[in-house]
Amino acid sequence: MSEQNCIFCKIVRGELPSNKVYEDGDVMAFHDIRPLAPVHLLVIPKLHVASLAECTDEHQTVLGKIMVLVPKLAKEHGLNDGFRTIINTGRVGGQEVYHLHVHILGGPSALGPMLRRD
Ligand code: DGP
């Protein structure tokens, strides 16, 4: 997926709408279009990086910024009793959008086990 066609790059460029909750020069956060919890945010680097698997030393700073932003956004959205972060990576990780993103999920009820135990 090129930057030109990437959905999240289009959101960054303002070519697609989003319900934005945060933006600075390097990072953006918005509500997931198909929420899986009462609060479901996505935090992305503005720079196109396909997935966590593609991250290298040059991404350290932006990854750090994202991780520090996550608890701030969680608090701002009332997730005072915990939340879950997910980074789906590649086919096995079930990644759907190939632009690195951190999911923040939470709400009043516990989210249950991380993965189903069959
Ligand atoms: P993942 O499986 O980790 O790649 O999840 C991608 C998420 O992105 C999925 O929960 C739905 C969300 N999503 C897909 N397209 C859009 C969009 O155009 N806008 C927003 N806000 N979210 C989107």
Side-chain angles (χ1 to χ4, degrees):
M1 173 71 68
S2 73
E3 289 176 47
Q4 206 54 38
N5 299 322
C6 169
I7 293 172
F8 289 173
C9 284
K10 287 184 180 180
I11 288 176
V12 168
R13 293 195 296 264
E15 295 167 13
L16 279 179
S18 73
N19 198 344
K20 186 169 67 181
V21 297
Y22 179 85
E23 181 172 15
D24 66 24
D26 303 312
V27 176
M28 202 169 158
F30 45 85
H31 288 272
D32 193 292
I33 207 167
R34 286 188 274 115
L36 290 166
V39 175
H40 187 168
L41 305 175
L42 300 174
V43 189
I44 67 167
K46 286 188 166 180
L47 180 78
H48 181 79
V49 189
S51 81
L52 194 60
E54 274 73 35
C55 285
T56 60
D57 288 350
E58 67 176 289
H59 302 108
Q60 264 185 25
T61 303
V62 75
L63 288 172
K65 278 189 84 165
I66 287 172
M67 292 312 280
V68 170
L69 178 63
V70 163
K72 289 185 190 161
L73 291 177
K75 277 193 201 93
E76 279 174 25
H77 287 80
L79 306 181
N80 298 312
D81 200 16
F83 55 88
R84 180 169 293 160
T85 46
I86 298 175
I87 306 175
N88 293 321
T89 304
R91 180 184 64 83
V92 171
Q95 186 174 0
E96 180 192 321
V97 177
Y98 277 78
H99 181 127
L100 175 66
H101 51 281
V102 177
H103 296 257
I104 304 175
L105 296 140
S109 310
L111 293 168
M114 186 169 62
L115 288 173
R116 199 175 50 237
R117 294 183 195 275
D118 290 323

